[in-house]
Amino acid sequence: MNPSFDTMDSIRADLQPLQTLTDFFYYREKQHPDKLFLRQPVGDRYIDFTWGEVGRQARIVANYLNSIGLPPKSNIGILSKNCAHWIIADIAILLSGHVSVPFYPTLTRNQLGHVLHHSGCAVLFAGKLDNWQNQKPAVPADTQCVAFPDYCALADLSLIQWDDILAQYEPMTDNPRPWPEDLFTIIYTSGTTGNPKGVMMNYRAMASAIENTKPMMRHDVQNARFFSYLPLCHVAERNFVEATSIITGGTIYFTESLETFTKNLTAARPTHFLAVPRIWHKFQQAILAKISQKTIDRLLRLPILSQILKTQIRQRLGLSEAKLILTGAAPMPVSLIQWFRRLGIAIQEAYGMTENLGVVSMMPSDKIKDGTVGKAYPGMDIKIDAATSEILTRAEWLMSGYYHDPAMTNEVLHDGWLHTGDVGHLDQEGYLQVRGRLRDLYKTSKGEYVIPTQIEAGFADNHLIEQVCVMGQTLPQPIALVVLSDLGRQNDRRLVKQFLEETVERLNGNLQRHEQVKKVVIVKDPWTVDNNLVTPTLKIKRNVVEDRYEAKIAGWYEETEKVIWEA
């Protein structure tokens, strides 16, 4: 192994001044062809791909793309759950000079039809999917479809087969490099409030974000390992897992399925790990299902047993070797971060959005200020609109605009500043507090403002709750709709009612009168991607939830009981 292989200084000597992902890949492919890059679990075994093998396959597929007569810089789609060939296809698109356009694998037929039509993809890579036969009719007739190999379980011989391409074409031998202003990718937002928007990012934006975040992203970790399970089409996973692994020369481990998640994670033992708040809630519930909070509190007071407990929990979660542990994509309750911190798991919160590559701020590991999302990355300017308290951001890595939507672009980009739509506060030390979405702010029937996300955070300490949505635009005071956790569903209804009433009483004691929660409604059905009540990144689609229960909330509000079960 080259002794300088993991040092950024050695890479700079071999790279041009603009260090794009393409440059980093060429470097890794040349210097370390036999080093492990991708590990795809299949049952109890792995299909392994070295940097050299990834390069070989990506170069062949790139040659194929350049042989079929596409116009230069055509949009090429990827529709698949995370897997090794997702990464290889993405790299192939970059090497071919075309534009990578990934889609969420859970899209319905109509949703897929919309983004395919909007993006105009000339080719679509289809892979690890649960519902391809329903999605397939949404693919335009003139779009060429390429199927990933058989471990992705896409048995559709009517598609062009990946392995046939490998057998029929030779690898491209040159190393083309993009211009800084070339379009690198179009990232579609998860669509929390309507149709997804296509965020355009050029190579300069990605290169600048990489350069300015490398110390915080721990590029110095030797033999870095990443665990890929959140959608790769989302900006957070694409940056944190795909981009950072290519830059550091690390190894990506994938999850095979939801059922094998725990086994795959503990086998990977990632050095870098990212989870959204919903996942951290799941981890917490799994721990509490094995050991009570009372027992945890007792053990933590005993130094030797405390260390044993912390070590065992990290090992069982698969985080025993994690050097960087992040949360993002949605607000993380402070109480949950503090709960894990007591167990020796230091979670750093990061903040951003697709339109700024998810790179705005991050909590410093050595100077934590709870209740904030940390400080701005170098190169990122943040200011707060004096009139609306909206967070504005400015950096070299802002989007160049929304694809085919100049009007929407002009709504959010003004004089170099991106209007995020988030409401926040910047303190004197430069720590950013995010209070909620501007669009979620509403007036009660009495004309007083309510920020739902701040109230929802007050339910975080109740382990019987998995999801919560505060609403009540037509009511004098808010009501909270909740989905019970597994622990909540297993408990007696009387105890659940008692715990929820105690939670509301504590919460209301810290709220103004018009913000205080009047009722808690326990809904029958969980909110999932399948019923369109959460996004693929597990954020609640507030407007969809409100529409679903709108006809019932007035009646619930008039009930005499404080805690109500949906009939």
Side-chain angles (χ1 to χ4, degrees):
M1 181 180 292
N2 186 333
S4 63
F5 142 79
D6 266 319
T7 65
M8 295 302 297
D9 288 340
S10 68
I11 296 177
R12 284 198 187 89
D14 284 16
L15 295 181
Q16 296 177 355
L18 177 67
Q19 298 167 34
T20 67
L21 281 185
T22 309
D23 293 315
F24 282 107
F25 179 74
Y26 289 150
Y27 177 85
R28 294 297 173 190
E29 177 193 34
K30 176 184 176 182
Q31 296 296 323
H32 316 289
D34 298 326
K35 184 177 184 294
L36 181 61
F37 180 20
L38 308 175
R39 297 211 82 186
Q40 179 67 50
V42 181
D44 293 326
R45 65 186 181 92
Y46 286 98
I47 301 175
D48 288 342
F49 298 82
T50 63
W51 286 92
E53 178 59 18
V54 169
R56 184 187 76 86
Q57 293 197 23
R59 287 174 175 276
I60 291 174
V61 175
N63 198 20
Y64 158 76
L65 291 174
N66 286 331
S67 73
I68 58 178
L70 300 177
K73 303 176 183 177
S74 292
N75 293 342
I76 310 294
I78 303 176
L79 181 71
S80 174
K81 293 181 182 179
N82 300 12
C83 62
H85 282 82
W86 198 110
I87 301 290
I88 301 173
D90 199 36
I91 293 172
I93 295 168
L94 301 187
L95 300 191
S96 71
H98 295 301
V99 180
S100 174
V101 188
F103 303 117
Y104 286 100
T106 52
L107 293 176
T108 65
R109 180 189 304 183
N110 289 339
Q111 291 168 337
L112 179 61
H114 169 78
V115 291
L116 283 174
H117 174 75
H118 186 265
S119 62
C121 284
V123 178
L124 177 68
F125 289 97
K128 195 174 181 182
L129 298 166
D130 294 331
N131 201 22
W132 171 245
Q133 291 308 315
N134 183 60
Q135 293 169 317
K136 184 178 178 180
V139 181
D142 59 349
T143 299
Q144 295 195 40
C145 282
V146 178
F148 288 167
D150 54 8
Y151 74 80
C152 287
L154 182 61
D156 189 341
L157 297 180
S158 68
L159 306 186
I160 300 166
Q161 298 299 304
W162 180 281
D163 285 342
D164 290 345
I165 292 174
L166 296 187
Q168 296 170 20
Y169 291 83
E170 294 296 321
M172 59 182 282
T173 56
D174 57 338
N175 293 341
R177 284 178 164 83
W179 290 100
E181 306 310 320
D182 283 348
L183 190 57
F184 155 59
T185 189
I186 299 173
I187 307 174
Y188 277 88
T189 60
S190 55
T192 53
T193 57
N195 286 328
K197 300 181 288 291
V199 174
M200 297 186 290
M201 285 292 173
N202 60 33
Y203 281 91
R204 182 186 300 280
M206 192 66 173
S208 181
I210 290 169
E211 179 64 22
N212 283 279
T213 62
K214 60 181 185 290
M216 289 71 75
M217 289 297 103
R218 294 300 308 272
H219 290 184
D220 61 317
V221 173
Q222 300 287 319
N223 299 313
R225 293 185 303 280
F226 303 82
F227 185 63
S228 183
Y229 68 102
L230 297 171
L232 269 166
C233 56
H234 187 271
V235 68
E237 185 84 351
R238 195 116 172 262
N239 285 351
F240 188 71
V241 172
E242 183 185 24
T244 310
S245 66
I246 291 174
I247 296 162
T248 62
T251 302
I252 301 176
Y253 289 69
F254 297 91
T255 184
E256 184 176 15
S257 66
L258 184 62
E259 290 71 28
T260 64
F261 177 89
T262 301
K263 180 179 78 171
N264 297 151
L265 176 56
T266 53
R269 293 172 296 112
T271 59
H272 296 63
F273 183 71
L274 166 69
V276 297
R278 179 91 177 273
I279 299 296
W280 291 113
H281 275 292
K282 290 285 190 183
F283 284 166
Q284 182 190 48
Q285 291 168 17
I287 293 168
L288 292 174
K290 298 287 186 181
I291 181 171
S292 70
Q293 186 64 56
K294 183 180 293 187
T295 302
I296 289 173
D297 293 338
R298 178 172 57 82
L299 293 176
L300 288 177
R301 290 193 293 267
L302 305 171
I304 295 177
L305 293 181
S306 173
Q307 190 56 47
I308 292 173
L309 174 67
K310 293 175 182 179
T311 299
Q312 287 183 344
I313 287 177
R314 284 182 69 106
Q315 288 176 342
R316 289 178 182 177
L317 289 179
L319 301 180
S320 59
E321 298 186 27
K323 302 295 188 288
L324 177 60
I325 303 175
L326 293 184
T327 187
M332 178 86 155
V334 172
S335 59
L336 189 58
I337 290 178
Q338 293 172 340
W339 190 87
F340 277 102
R341 191 185 301 151
R342 291 184 66 213
L343 295 175
I345 299 172
I347 303 170
Q348 294 171 250
E349 191 161 9
Y351 165 70
M353 57 196 300
T354 310
E355 290 84 346
N356 48 39
L357 271 176
V359 179
V360 175
S361 69
M362 180 175 162
M363 185 67 71
S365 60
D366 58 345
K367 194 176 180 183
I368 293 170
K369 181 176 280 193
D370 287 331
T372 75
V373 290
K375 293 184 174 184
Y377 292 100
M380 169 59 70
D381 295 327
I382 302 173
K383 71 177 181 179
I384 307 298
D385 186 282
T388 64
S389 295
E390 184 178 10
I391 300 169
L392 312 182
T393 67
R394 181 176 63 183
E396 289 185 353
W397 54 87
L398 298 187
M399 69 171 182
S400 52
Y402 292 121
Y403 190 64
H404 285 335
D405 201 339
M408 183 67 74
T409 300
N410 292 334
E411 284 186 22
V412 300
L413 286 176
H414 303 288
D415 301 321
W417 290 93
L418 173 70
H419 291 240
T420 66
D422 287 326
V423 177
H425 171 72
L426 198 62
D427 71 17
Q428 292 182 342
E429 293 183 287
Y431 285 83
L432 179 65
Q433 181 186 42
V434 182
R435 294 173 174 169
R437 294 292 288 167
L438 193 60
R439 65 168 179 258
D440 294 341
L441 190 73
Y442 74 84
K443 284 184 178 181
T444 68
S445 61
K446 295 180 179 179
E448 295 169 302
Y449 280 109
V450 171
I451 303 178
T453 49
Q454 291 187 318
I455 302 173
E456 289 161 359
F459 288 89
D461 289 332
N462 192 316
H463 306 314
L464 305 184
I465 297 175
E466 181 167 325
Q467 296 163 296
V468 59
C469 181
V470 169
M471 57 189 294
Q473 288 175 289
T474 60
L475 305 173
Q477 290 173 238
I479 67 171
L481 308 184
V482 304
V483 174
L484 293 179
S485 66
D486 290 339
L487 289 174
R489 287 189 289 272
Q490 293 164 9
N491 264 281
D492 182 87
R493 277 198 174 193
R494 289 171 298 177
L495 288 176
V496 171
K497 180 175 181 293
Q498 178 186 335
F499 290 153
L500 288 178
E501 287 175 345
E502 291 173 356
T503 296
V504 171
E505 185 175 351
R506 286 195 304 269
L507 172 63
N508 284 346
N510 297 315
L511 296 174
Q512 298 182 49
R513 174 66 180 170
H514 69 277
E515 297 174 314
Q516 292 177 359
V517 175
K518 183 74 171 179
K519 304 287 179 184
V520 174
V521 180
I522 300 169
V523 300
K524 290 187 298 185
D525 301 321
W527 302 332
T528 66
V529 174
D530 291 337
N531 61 22
N532 196 39
L533 293 173
V534 299
T535 70
T537 52
L538 307 181
K539 288 182 286 191
I540 292 172
K541 292 186 174 182
R542 190 177 301 276
N543 59 328
V544 181
V545 171
E546 290 175 349
D547 288 345
R548 176 168 179 151
Y549 300 103
E550 183 179 17
K552 299 180 178 181
I553 62 170
W556 286 332
Y557 192 84
E558 297 302 326
E559 292 275 352
T560 55
E561 295 291 326
K562 181 166 285 187
V563 177
I564 305 161
W565 270 261
E566 182 184 12

